[in-house]
Amino acid sequence: MAWQRKVLRINLTRGEIHHEPLNMEWANAYMGSRGLGTKYLSEMMDPKADALGPDNVLIFATGPLTGTMSSTSGRYSVLCKGPLTGAIACSNSGGKFGAELKNAGYDLLILEGQSPSPVYLNIVDDAVSLESAEDLWGTTVWHTEETLKERLGDPQTKVASVGVPGEQGVRYACIVNDLHRAAGRSGVGAVMGSKNVKAIAVRGTVGVTADDPKRFMAVVKETMKKLADDRGRQGMTRDGTNAMIDTMHAFGGLPTRNFQEVQFAGSEKINPTAMRAKNENGHTNLINNKACFGCSIGCGRVAHIDPKHFSVADKPQYWHASGGLEYETAFALGPVVGVDDIDACTYVGFLTNEHSIDPISFGVTVAAAMEMFELGAITLEDTGGIDLRFGNAEALVQAAEVTGAQQGFGVDLGLGSKLLCEKYGHPDLFMGVKGQEFAGYDSRALQGMGLGYATSNRGACHLKHDVFSPDMKDQSGNGKAEPCKNSQDEIAAIDSTGLCIFTAGAWGMDDYAAQVDAACEGDWPTERLVELGERTWNLERQFNLNAGLTAADDTLPKRLLETPAPSGTAKGRVCELDYMLKEYYQLRGWGADGVPTAETLGRLGLNA
Amino acid sequence: MKISLKTTGIMSDYLPADASGGRVELELPEGAVFAQLVETLAIPDDERYVVSINDTLLPEPLQHPLQAGDTVIIMAPLAAG
């Protein structure tokens, strides 16, 4: 148990709805969520297919622990081929949608084909229907979610949807659920839009059952206590993830002005202390923290914008409370674009949720545009009059508004940084890997992070490995390959449980295994979890190789490899990727060409 | 001697009450090492943190001698976010 043993498969082209049993052989090898979704995706589609065409497959995957009483059990993954990267996309979200889908009785929801007209999917346990979304097409996430909840008449309905950027193929459009949680990266929202699916509404009352309820409750109690006592968890609850902006600034790993610098003097104007402070109008940005389903951390922020601020002074519809700054939004709407205006950053954060755009990719794309604007490669005529200089908060706001509406220069910004930099003749200014923009860590200061960025199967990503501790002890590339590889495997396993990786500071792999073992049938020792994580990583790699990616894609921009960090604790360093990568391939059991050897595939039970 | 201390994240829990914005100027005896600062701030032995002094990362900071005018930063460890 803990699995529902049921898959909901929708053929959008034909409008067919099927319930089918979960493939338990695959569930035993890949567990759930990220791992199991990767297996289904790999079996169902040709990795060479057009990411925005009908042959791409979009999978919403819960884990066996999703929707249970384990702490942080609100997670689900969205998988498909990513339009931003051409690689596998696996984007993870919290909120309540995933737990609701599980409670409706499904481990996986699979969308195939392409609907001939805009639709939304309505799921109430076993009752599933495709409904017209003609009246919702062209509207925002927030409008769609509120309209569907009212229309369906049950306030407990959970909604995941896309805005105009998702409909119009913005390559970093995300899928937003519960108004401000998102499967944020790699453009999964553009894939949903390409299928003419505006939204998924779900209400679940079936429940989730553990295999050994008494043991499961005991394990959950024990692990929750461990989480409660953890200092990292306490910091996350108090300050949110944005506490890291101060550490990264002090450390000298805070990407600033499109990675030209590694420290940002204005970070103190957008940090957790600034979020709690009263401004000159007596307004305080932060209202409270917020937790996803079943979470005892509560790292989410709830904030509101000063109504007197230029961004919303004439827009009372934005005076309400909504998702506040987290570290990645603060980085991508702050230092990397040189902006230190907390209300502008918060407003643009609201817009990214309202319109379903990934704030990381958006911010880093704007940063590249700003650098090209200052170089004269992009002109005022190109931007439609937006004065796109670093540090210009008004320009950031205008850029977000036109990108959300997909008007004017917003269409160019919707290309993502890689294509934008190529279009305007400066491909070297793209700051990312495999077409996806970096998160808020500079790999000249954090070498293991650089290796993780270069090898992440979904393109540049900070969430698929955890080398923070070795990186903060030693700023060379020595000894980084092994913790990078090991943490990639472990996080692939954690993602596959349906729990949040923000528990990983408090819990070891034994803690996850104990919860899975009590919740699921069969024996789930720690070694089995780690092995399925490695299996998942290699299957993702195989998907990418079959899509046409090669070892040449496992690299970083010249700026990080050749231009030394200008300040901070890593002043003078570049990222030492070459030798880390060689060691990494060996540890992975891959050839020098980055291809898993037959022996490695055989050991993991994978086909060549 | 006076040093300048800054903390990040949850390490601000250990700052004296007169600290502002995560910063404070502290008076320490001449010849003090970092361990004396830890004692002054009452940071428990099992607390995890990272230290830089004058922008140099110190993996093993406890016996590092402090000097007047040093800028000491005690950082909360990172986690994904």
Side-chain angles (χ1 to χ4, degrees):
Chain A
M1 285 179 277
W3 292 286
Q4 303 289 32
R5 291 175 166 261
K6 194 159 69 176
V7 174
L8 177 59
R9 187 191 291 245
I10 315 285
N11 186 306
L12 295 160
T13 306
R14 295 197 291 270
E16 293 173 352
I17 297 166
H18 299 283
H19 295 89
E20 61 186 44
L22 181 69
N23 185 320
M24 288 307 296
E25 185 187 336
W26 294 353
N28 279 315
Y30 294 92
M31 195 156 51
S33 196
R34 176 176 165 187
L36 189 56
T38 300
K39 177 62 174 170
Y40 268 82
L41 188 76
S42 298
E43 295 288 337
M44 288 184 65
M45 72 172 287
D46 177 358
K48 288 191 168 58
D50 176 5
L52 297 179
D55 294 334
N56 200 354
V57 175
L58 186 65
I59 298 176
F60 294 72
T62 67
L65 297 182
T66 304
T68 67
M69 60 190 293
S70 284
S71 184
T72 76
S73 68
R75 309 302 301 192
Y76 73 102
S77 296
V78 180
L79 300 102
C80 58
K81 179 174 178 175
L84 188 64
T85 58
I88 191 167
C90 175
S91 203
N92 190 285
S93 182
K96 296 176 179 171
F97 178 86
E100 199 75 23
L101 180 63
K102 181 77 176 286
N103 274 281
Y106 304 104
D107 299 299
L108 270 67
L109 162 63
I110 301 174
L111 302 179
E112 301 174 282
Q114 189 173 50
S115 172
S117 60
V119 292
Y120 72 89
L121 183 62
N122 185 25
I123 304 168
V124 183
D125 297 335
D126 274 345
V128 181
S129 61
L130 284 167
E131 308 287 349
S132 171
E134 295 280 5
D135 63 317
L136 298 169
W137 205 250
T139 69
T140 68
V141 162
W142 291 357
H143 172 84
T144 299
E145 184 161 335
E146 286 170 13
T147 303
L148 284 181
K149 282 187 173 179
E150 192 176 330
R151 183 177 300 172
L152 298 172
D154 184 343
Q156 292 301 318
T157 298
K158 309 299 184 294
V159 178
S161 65
V162 296
V164 170
E167 298 169 9
Q168 299 199 10
V170 168
R171 289 164 191 275
Y172 50 82
C174 50
I175 298 171
V176 177
N177 57 271
D178 304 293
L179 298 176
H180 47 82
R181 305 310 306 179
R185 305 231 64 193
S186 311
V188 296
V191 175
M192 185 155 139
S194 76
K195 294 186 175 303
N196 267 328
V197 175
K198 179 67 178 176
I200 299 163
V202 60
R203 177 74 178 104
T205 64
V206 173
V208 181
T209 307
D211 188 57
D212 184 341
K214 276 191 179 171
R215 185 156 58 92
F216 184 59
M217 287 171 74
V219 171
V220 167
K221 187 177 176 186
E222 185 185 330
T223 48
M224 283 185 81
K225 170 75 165 60
K226 202 177 270 192
L227 191 56
D229 292 343
D230 182 68
R231 287 284 289 159
R233 194 284 306 162
Q234 291 164 14
M236 198 90 84
T237 304
R238 190 189 75 179
D239 292 333
T241 57
N242 197 21
M244 285 184 286
I245 200 164
D246 290 328
T247 298
M248 272 299 89
H249 169 65
F251 196 70
L254 179 60
T256 298
R257 299 181 186 88
N258 203 32
F259 292 71
Q260 295 180 90
E261 299 156 63
V262 293
Q263 291 180 304
F264 183 55
S267 60
E268 291 190 359
K269 295 183 180 175
I270 57 174
N271 68 6
T273 306
M275 290 173 74
R276 283 192 286 266
K278 274 198 169 93
N279 71 7
E280 64 277 11
N281 299 322
H283 177 87
T284 303
N285 180 271
L286 182 69
I287 296 173
N288 208 340
N289 70 327
K290 186 172 182 179
C292 299
F293 177 91
C295 176
S296 54
I297 301 174
C299 73
R301 303 291 102 175
V302 179
H304 60 164
I305 305 159
D306 183 348
K308 294 190 172 71
H309 188 261
F310 77 85
S311 61
V312 299
D314 59 350
K315 302 184 189 86
Q317 67 270 32
Y318 292 102
W319 294 356
H320 61 84
S322 192
L325 291 177
E326 301 178 16
Y327 176 58
E328 291 302 337
T329 46
F331 141 75
L333 309 176
V336 86
V337 290
V339 170
D340 62 6
D341 180 330
I342 194 169
D343 286 301
C345 294
T346 304
Y347 172 61
V348 175
F350 281 19
L351 293 182
T352 60
N353 289 329
E354 183 184 23
H355 296 292
S356 75
I357 51 181
D358 170 14
I360 300 176
S361 285
F362 168 74
V364 177
T365 299
V366 172
M370 285 176 160
E371 189 169 356
M372 290 190 283
F373 186 84
E374 294 196 347
L375 288 169
I378 290 177
T379 65
L380 270 176
E381 191 180 348
D382 295 319
T383 64
I386 303 174
D387 183 19
L388 215 52
R389 288 173 291 108
F390 282 117
N392 185 347
E394 291 187 26
L396 174 69
V397 163
Q398 291 169 323
E401 289 173 341
V402 296
T403 303
Q406 278 300 278
Q407 294 170 348
F409 191 61
V411 176
D412 270 3
L413 290 172
L415 294 170
S417 180
K418 182 172 186 291
L419 295 182
L420 184 80
C421 290
E422 288 171 1
K423 177 173 178 175
Y424 287 97
H426 288 273
D428 286 355
L429 298 186
F430 161 59
M431 292 297 124
V433 176
K434 299 182 177 79
Q436 178 157 284
E437 293 77 8
F438 288 124
Y441 305 95
D442 193 294
S443 47
R444 290 167 289 195
L446 298 154
Q447 300 278 331
M449 177 65 76
L451 179 62
Y453 280 147
T455 56
S456 166
N457 288 318
R458 70 170 185 178
C461 173
H462 62 297
L463 291 169
K464 304 296 188 193
H465 55 273
D466 180 355
V467 200
F468 285 119
S469 185
D471 270 347
M472 294 193 83
K473 282 185 188 144
D474 173 6
Q475 291 179 296
S476 78
N478 291 326
K480 300 297 167 62
E482 187 171 359
C484 182
K485 181 261 180 198
N486 289 343
S487 63
Q488 286 174 338
D489 294 344
E490 290 174 3
I491 287 174
I494 296 167
D495 282 344
S496 301
T497 64
L499 302 183
C500 176
I501 62 166
F502 285 3
T503 53
W507 295 347
M509 291 308 292
D510 291 348
D511 294 308
Y512 298 100
Q515 292 176 77
V516 175
D517 190 60
C520 299
E521 58 218 64
D523 295 324
W524 290 89
T526 302
E527 301 73 28
R528 185 174 174 186
L529 257 68
V530 175
E531 186 189 68
L532 80 82
E534 186 181 7
R535 184 179 299 119
T536 297
W537 191 271
N538 280 270
L539 187 60
E540 291 172 340
R541 180 75 175 185
Q542 283 186 299
F543 184 101
N544 287 351
L545 294 169
N546 291 331
L549 279 77
T550 69
D553 296 297
D554 298 338
T555 191
L556 298 171
K558 273 187 188 175
R559 178 165 284 169
L560 304 181
L561 297 173
E562 295 178 6
T563 306
S567 66
T569 62
K571 184 177 179 180
R573 285 190 181 277
V574 296
C575 185
E576 303 162 12
L577 179 64
D578 277 359
Y579 78 85
M580 288 193 289
L581 196 58
K582 281 177 192 156
E583 189 183 350
Y584 173 89
Y585 282 177
Q586 286 171 359
L587 286 166
R588 276 252 166 253
W590 297 353
D593 56 359
V595 177
T597 63
E599 185 186 348
T600 299
L601 294 177
R603 177 172 58 79
L604 296 170
L606 294 168
N607 298 320
Chain B
M1 64 176 180
K2 267 193 177 170
I3 62 146
S4 171
L5 173 67
K6 180 175 165 49
T7 61
T8 72
I10 204 151
M11 295 308 294
S12 65
D13 286 0
Y14 302 107
L15 284 175
D18 59 342
S20 169
R23 284 196 183 81
V24 68
E25 298 275 316
L26 280 181
E27 189 74 36
L28 291 174
E30 290 293 331
V33 297
F34 180 78
Q36 286 166 273
L37 177 58
V38 170
E39 194 179 330
T40 302
L41 299 174
I43 299 175
D45 290 345
D46 60 353
E47 186 67 279
R48 292 173 293 171
Y49 53 86
V50 175
V51 177
S52 78
I53 298 181
N54 303 328
D55 269 348
T56 298
L57 193 64
L58 296 177
E60 303 290 341
L62 286 178
Q63 295 311 312
H64 185 88
L66 299 175
Q67 298 187 356
D70 275 352
T71 298
V72 178
I73 305 179
I74 305 178
M75 295 173 249
L78 289 172

